[in-house]
Amino acid sequence: MAAAQHVAITGASGGLGRALAEHYAAPGWTLSLTGRSAERLGEVADACRRAGAAVDVRVLDVTDAPAMEAWVTSRDEAQAVDILIANAGIGGSDAMPGPLGDTGGAAREIISVNTIGVVNTIAPLLPRLIARRRGRVALVGSISGYMGLPQSPAYCASKAAVWIYGEALRRLALEHGVSVTTIMPGYIDTPMSQSLGIARPWLWTAERAARRIASDIERGVRESVFPWQLRVAIGVGRLVPASITDPILSRSMRQMSARQSRRTRG
């Protein structure tokens, strides 16, 4: 890796966030990590320190805007943040509604964490990066944000909002020397995706995903979308008339509900 830098990552207590933290962990690097599990966050910090990184951890909820602003600004004042990765989010079985759709409470929670949480992470730091005319920002969305799927309406909406927010931020920050990369991954092998209990085509390991994301952030890629097979499938699905795709997706929802029902009974 290049010269020492300061990387701040939300949702770092497991899954992709942990893989990203461990990817960046190296002598001379500073990692500022947040998550909601003190125990798991401590385990990640220990692993990163063994790799030689300086690590600061904080147990935080990204929906707590004042706490997030205090954390981001305090870490930036301690050492200028070079890379900010807004990774925290709700997914997996926690984002899967029943056959009648998301409840209002569940939908609000998903959007609050996945979308407002990203805003709470980035908004306090962006003016500082712009003032310095340097820095990199990454928002972790999902390839599901490109298409509304009946299995997860609120989740798709939350990730679509992340995508368009990243698009707008990139254009806003471009002339100020700050790069913005929106991450739109497919299935990553984490406890979150494992909880779905369904087939996960073109599955990537968290470590492979972290390497790809870090590379795309470093290169200032506009969108980091992977795997390419799922990107093509989604792209084709958006071009096919709704009269064809809607029945197919509706049928897949019924089949998924039936499988989940059988697992529950079993």
Side-chain angles (χ1 to χ4, degrees), residues 9-262:
I9 305 171
T10 65
S13 56
L16 178 60
R18 175 169 187 157
L20 284 165
E22 293 182 350
H23 174 84
Y24 282 109
W29 284 65
T30 298
L31 304 181
S32 292
L33 310 175
T34 73
R36 291 193 291 180
S37 168
E39 181 180 358
R40 289 189 288 119
L41 200 57
E43 294 172 356
V44 176
D46 288 344
C48 292
R49 289 185 183 117
R50 287 194 297 271
V55 185
D56 180 89
V57 297
R58 199 75 55 86
V59 177
L60 287 174
D61 185 333
V62 292
T63 65
D64 186 339
M68 287 299 297
E69 181 171 2
W71 173 71
V72 170
T73 55
S74 66
R75 295 310 302 152
D76 192 61
E77 288 168 358
Q79 178 184 339
V81 173
D82 300 289
I83 303 172
L84 175 65
I85 305 177
N87 166 72
I90 293 177
S93 61
D94 290 336
M96 298 290 288
L100 301 182
D102 298 289
T103 65
R108 284 187 289 273
E109 182 182 13
I110 291 167
I111 292 170
S112 181
V113 174
N114 290 359
T115 306
I116 304 304
V118 168
V119 174
N120 290 344
T121 301
I122 296 172
L125 185 63
L126 188 62
R128 291 169 170 261
L129 300 178
I130 288 175
R132 293 196 290 267
R133 298 193 63 81
R134 63 181 175 86
R136 303 181 185 279
V137 175
L139 309 76
V140 178
S142 167
I143 207 164
S144 298
Y146 289 138
M147 176 179 284
L149 302 174
Q151 295 91 336
S152 49
Y155 179 79
C156 290
S158 72
K159 295 302 187 177
V162 168
W163 171 52
I164 205 68
Y165 183 56
E167 286 276 285
L169 287 182
R170 188 188 72 254
R171 291 167 179 148
L172 181 153
L174 182 63
E175 63 182 279
H176 301 290
V178 177
S179 72
V180 177
T181 299
T182 306
I183 316 300
M184 303 292 279
Y187 291 110
I188 300 174
D189 193 18
T190 65
M192 183 181 291
S193 76
Q194 291 164 10
S195 71
L196 289 169
I198 60 172
R200 295 171 292 162
W202 304 298
L203 182 70
W204 280 32
T205 66
E207 292 74 21
R208 181 184 181 188
R211 290 193 299 271
R212 167 65 177 270
I213 290 168
S215 174
D216 286 349
I217 292 173
E218 181 63 28
R219 294 186 296 119
V221 170
R222 178 174 64 90
E223 288 181 25
S224 177
V225 188
F226 56 87
W228 68 265
Q229 297 97 327
L230 200 53
R231 181 176 190 174
V232 169
I234 291 287
V236 170
R238 289 171 61 88
L239 294 174
V240 173
S243 59
I244 297 174
T245 58
D246 285 1
I248 294 172
L249 292 174
S250 179
R251 184 162 57 250
S252 73
M253 173 65 178
R254 291 195 301 271
Q255 292 170 346
M256 181 180 293
S257 296
R259 286 195 297 269
Q260 290 173 333
S261 177
R262 286 195 295 271

